[in-house]
């Protein structure tokens, strides 16, 4: 059954839940105990819906944000949480459409809910009805959802004045980790892969100034600048505003104990760097961003530091290594990751103003000369 068909045929149950919006840091702090307990009980929850990640995102995001809390009755215990960010799509200084994003985009890779299992259908549908009736938006973007309760949310959201458009999901491979590094090498990697990682590591260790380090409170600034420099060298320059956002994110996640940032050096020169996030509840290491120095490309430092971080995760007792978004071949072919995919779709309001805004966006994008999507806060 398609999402659209299910949503169109939905009838709201007599739901005992109420939904309360939260939009201040103080109120967000008060939610921590209930959020953490719900997160631990929810097998579908992932790192990007955890309290610590959302709290770090709030400190870093350029978007306005709202957390929806599902409660038993008007003031009962919290049973579910959902996060939304708001911005505008623009043509120059002119706002065209009010955009609402599910989850912690653009910094969070996945979107999803945190709901106690016994309330998952009711709470997801209640979130959908609240977004439909109480939040302001022209286009709702549900990008890279990794949560089976999306259907229930859409069932509550759907109405006569909305249109749902399905979009292509994104590959997000992961590894179920064995107990030992040697077990991983033998069971997950091909002989070619084992050779490449082992050979690369031996060659890098021969560098005259070789050292490897993990960021801590004392050296986090040094590691952060090395990481961002190598990352930009691999994927292109970022604006000063973007870099400031990532610096705040790394500091915040380090403060709450979830940052894992490893760097390989040749004396004072960074060779490769990779940041992952540790989730002890889900037992998952998540590879977020990384980069390597092209002057050392012949040694394969990018692959070496990924392998090294997988070994870190195994030795720390974690159960999963998540490559997050991106279906690059090396993740499955070299490191033996299992395929998996997110879901993405957008929901449009109907009406003259929205039609005009979409038409102007089409003109902007077709001309390919006007300003691009502005991610500044609404």
């Amino acid at each position: 059954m398609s999402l659209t068909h299910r949503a169109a045929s939905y009838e709201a149950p007599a739901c005992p839940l109420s939904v309360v919006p939260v939009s201040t840091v103080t109120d967000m702090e008060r939610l921590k105990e209930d959020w953490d307990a719900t997160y631990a009980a929810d097998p579908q929850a992932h790192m990007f819906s955890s309290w610590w990640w959302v709290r770090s995102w709030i400190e870093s995001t350029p978007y306005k944000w709202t957390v929806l809390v599902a409660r038993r009755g008007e003031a009962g215990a919290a049973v579910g949480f959902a996060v939304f960010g708001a911005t505008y799509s623009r043509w120059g200084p002119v706002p065209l459409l009010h955009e609402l994003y599910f989850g912690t985009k653009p910094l969070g890779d996945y979107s999803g809910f945190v709901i106690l299992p016994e309330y998952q259908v009711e709470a997801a549908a209640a979130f959908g009805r609240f977004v439909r009736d109480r939040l302001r938006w022209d286009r709702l973007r549900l990008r890279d959802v990794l949560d089976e309760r999306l259907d229930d949310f859409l069932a509550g959201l759907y109405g006569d004045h909305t249109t749902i458009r399905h979009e292509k999901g994104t590959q997000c491979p992961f590894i179920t980790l064995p107990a030992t590094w040697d077990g991983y090498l033998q069971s997950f990697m091909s002989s070619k892969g084992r050779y490449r990682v082992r050979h690369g590591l031996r060659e890098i260790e021969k560098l005259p100034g070789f050292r490897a380090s993990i960021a801590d409170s004392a050296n986090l600034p040094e590691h952060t600048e090395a990481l961002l420099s190598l990352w930009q060298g691999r994927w292109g320059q970022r604006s000063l505003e973007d870099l400031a956002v990532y610096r705040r994110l790394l500091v915040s996640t380090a403060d709450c104990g979830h940052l894992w940032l490893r760097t390989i050096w040749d004396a004072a020169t960074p060779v490769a760097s990779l940041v992952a996030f540790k989730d002890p509840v889900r037992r998952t290491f998540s590879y977020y961003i990384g980069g390597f120095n092209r002057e050392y490309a012949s040694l394969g430092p990018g692959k070496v530091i990924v392998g090294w971080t997988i070994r870190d995760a195994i030795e720390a007792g974690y159960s999963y290594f998540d490559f997050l978004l991106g279906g690059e071949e090396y993740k499955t072919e070299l490191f033996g990751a299992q395929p998996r995919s997110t879901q993405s779709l957008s929901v449009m309001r109907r009406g003259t103003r929205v039609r005009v805004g979409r038409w102007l966006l089409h003109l902007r994008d077709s001309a390919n000369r006007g300003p691009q999507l502005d991610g500044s806060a609404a």
Side-chain angles (χ1 to χ4, degrees), residues 18-32:
S18 62
V19 175
V20 179
V22 165
S23 56
T24 69
V25 172
T26 299
D27 286 339
M28 180 65 186
E29 296 285 351
R30 295 190 182 113
L31 295 174
K32 184 179 187 305

Side-chain angles (χ1 to χ4, degrees), residues 42-256:
D42 182 359
Q44 293 196 56
H46 49 69
M47 181 196 88
F48 294 110
S49 57
S50 66
W51 185 91
W52 64 266
W53 172 267
V54 175
R55 182 64 181 83
S56 298
W57 173 76
I58 286 171
E59 292 186 356
S60 310
T61 182
Y63 290 2
K64 286 188 174 180
W65 59 272
T66 299
V67 171
L68 301 185
V69 185
R71 294 188 177 276
R72 300 187 189 101
E74 292 299 319
V79 300
F81 306 88
V83 183
F84 295 87
T87 186
Y88 284 100
S89 55
R90 301 175 183 268
W91 194 334
V94 180
L96 300 179
L97 292 178
H98 191 91
E99 305 266 7
L100 189 66
Y101 284 82
F102 177 42
T104 57
K105 295 292 185 180
L107 297 177
D109 280 30
Y110 304 148
S111 303
F113 306 97
V114 178
I115 304 174
L116 289 176
E118 59 267 33
Y119 290 93
Q120 57 186 352
V121 174
E122 293 172 277
F127 289 141
R129 291 192 297 273
F130 190 94
V131 170
R132 181 192 65 198
D133 298 335
R134 301 283 300 277
L135 295 186
R136 180 189 175 194
W137 53 275
D138 299 314
R139 175 161 54 191
L140 169 62
R141 292 185 176 273
L142 298 111
R143 289 183 169 175
D144 297 310
V145 180
L146 199 63
D147 197 309
E148 295 176 0
R149 296 162 296 202
L150 178 60
D151 272 14
D152 302 306
F153 173 80
L154 291 173
L157 177 75
Y158 189 81
D160 293 338
H161 301 290
T162 56
T163 301
I164 298 175
R165 184 181 69 185
H166 296 263
E167 301 172 353
K168 186 177 181 180
T170 307
Q171 288 296 312
C172 49
F174 72 100
I175 303 169
T176 301
L177 297 173
T180 66
W181 171 244
D182 285 341
Y184 167 76
L185 290 176
Q186 296 301 319
S187 301
F188 287 80
M189 298 189 74
S190 65
S191 58
K192 180 179 179 181
R194 290 194 296 272
Y195 171 79
R196 289 177 65 181
V197 171
R198 285 170 165 165
H199 176 74
L201 183 56
R202 286 195 299 268
E203 292 303 305
I204 285 176
E205 288 176 340
K206 293 177 183 177
L207 293 171
F210 167 80
R211 63 186 175 97
S213 57
I214 296 173
D216 56 28
S217 58
N219 63 23
L220 180 59
E222 177 189 26
H223 277 260
T224 297
E225 296 314 309
L227 169 76
L228 294 178
S229 175
L230 294 173
W231 181 49
Q232 291 181 95
R234 179 70 177 87
W235 299 107
Q237 293 296 310
R238 294 279 183 148
S239 68
L240 294 178
E241 292 80 4
D242 280 351
L243 294 176
V245 165
Y246 281 98
R247 290 188 183 98
R248 289 195 297 270
L249 180 68
L250 296 181
V251 169
S252 183
T253 52
D255 286 345
C256 59

